[in-house]
Amino acid sequence: MNKIDQSLLDTWNMYGHYVSYAIAGVGLLILLSHYLKLMFTKDYKTKYDYINMYEINLLWYSALLIIIAGAVYANTLVTESGVLWFVVRLFVSTMFAIIAGVIIQNILKFYYPFYIEKRLKQLRFAPRISPEGRKMKLLSEEEEDVYLDEGMQAEEDAFSVDYDVWIDEESGYTKIEKYNGRLHALKCSECNYQTLKVNKEEIVQSPTATEEGELIKFFTCGYCGHKEKKSFSIAKLKEGTEEVAS
């Protein structure tokens, strides 16, 4: 048949509205819950960690649902019942949804992090308040070492972790906050500090076109000296690629 049954189209238009409202509602609910969480979180470090870990993903999920809701809603606005019209409007709305999604994804991936970085910096260095209600002092790198144990100092020396130490100079109350450093290190299974780093790598079996190779990474803990090694697979070579030298 060249015509879609009008009753079927009417049913789609009616329930499509409800579906689009429901999807948009979920997206808005995610957005609302996120900002309510930020509003009621008073501790600066807790808020810092929450924004750093979840904000971009939550904004993306919310935007994606709202875009999908818009596409569904747009497909309920045309009353023509021809198959061609139905396919055209479905195609056009899908293309607009994809374009909008790509734009928002790129904004969140490449531009929004600069905005988040400014907010995180403000949260990290905003004055902390002691339980007695007094402003605390942020210690310098030299001053804070007195309050960090040897393992914490080793983490900072490995640049895997950065600690901020706040002190109430009147009562002596201290608060130590942990942040990611600029270099990557793993958590040591012996001392539990984030000071385990790659010492050397060794290819024990070179990959071929038919078999995977094997790479051994040797790790050493910068604090306790614990050593361990881990095996990693090397992908098979593509045809025409020379073997990796051992």
Side-chain angles (χ1 to χ4, degrees):
M1 295 177 62
N2 294 328
K3 296 284 186 178
I4 297 176
D5 185 82
Q6 187 62 44
S7 64
L8 179 62
L9 183 62
D10 291 341
T11 301
W12 159 255
N13 286 340
M14 180 177 65
Y15 288 105
H17 279 81
Y18 298 141
V19 171
S20 66
Y21 295 154
I23 297 174
V26 173
L28 292 173
L29 187 61
I30 291 175
L31 199 61
L32 179 62
S33 63
H34 169 62
Y35 286 110
L36 286 175
K37 170 75 173 179
L38 291 179
M39 183 184 300
F40 290 106
T41 301
K42 301 303 180 183
D43 182 75
Y44 290 130
K45 181 60 169 64
T46 302
K47 187 178 293 188
Y48 178 104
D49 290 337
Y50 177 77
I51 292 174
N52 193 35
M53 292 178 64
Y54 300 114
E55 180 158 297
I56 289 181
N57 285 337
L58 289 175
L59 291 180
W60 167 241
Y61 297 148
S62 177
L64 184 61
L65 288 172
I66 292 173
I67 290 171
I68 293 173
V72 173
Y73 183 79
N75 276 284
T76 66
L77 299 178
V78 182
T79 57
E80 288 83 354
S81 59
V83 174
L84 180 60
W85 274 107
F86 184 82
V87 173
V88 167
R89 72 180 185 182
L90 183 63
F91 175 78
V92 171
S93 61
T94 300
M95 289 301 101
F96 274 108
I98 291 174
I99 292 171
V102 170
I103 291 173
I104 292 176
Q105 186 180 48
N106 279 285
I107 290 173
L108 292 175
K109 184 176 181 180
F110 298 109
Y111 297 102
Y112 196 75
F114 292 102
Y115 170 65
I116 283 187
E117 190 64 30
K118 292 180 181 179
R119 291 167 60 203
L120 293 181
K121 187 175 182 180
Q122 292 174 347
L123 288 171
R124 178 171 178 177
F125 298 110
R128 302 311 194 244
I129 305 299
S130 70
E132 289 79 17
R134 290 183 290 268
K135 285 187 177 181
M136 302 173 70
K137 174 187 175 183
L138 176 62
L139 300 183
S140 66
E141 292 290 332
E142 294 76 18
E143 294 172 325
E144 71 182 16
D145 285 347
V146 177
Y147 300 90
L148 303 179
D149 61 35
E150 292 182 356
M152 292 176 175
Q153 294 181 43
E155 288 180 312
E156 286 206 320
D157 291 340
F159 300 109
S160 61
V161 171
D162 194 15
Y163 287 97
D164 286 351
V165 179
W166 295 84
I167 185 170
D168 180 345
E169 295 182 292
E170 186 172 332
S171 67
Y173 172 81
T174 59
K175 183 177 184 181
I176 300 176
E177 297 178 349
K178 182 177 181 178
Y179 297 89
N180 290 328
R182 60 179 182 270
L183 296 181
H184 181 66
L186 302 177
K187 185 176 181 180
C188 176
S189 59
E190 291 294 318
C191 65
N192 291 321
Y193 288 112
Q194 201 167 325
T195 49
L196 191 68
K197 301 178 72 175
V198 176
N199 185 36
K200 68 174 182 177
E201 298 179 352
E202 180 181 337
I203 297 177
V204 295
Q205 173 155 358
S206 298
T208 66
T210 57
E211 293 185 0
E212 293 183 338
E214 183 181 5
L215 171 70
I216 302 293
K217 289 188 178 183
F218 297 86
F219 296 84
T220 301
C221 177
Y223 173 59
C224 69
H226 170 70
K227 298 180 185 293
E228 61 181 73
K229 60 182 180 180
K230 296 181 180 180
S231 175
F232 298 86
S233 296
I234 305 175
K236 298 176 184 178
L237 296 178
K238 295 181 180 179
E239 291 185 7
T241 306
E242 295 182 1
E243 291 190 8
V244 180
S246 299

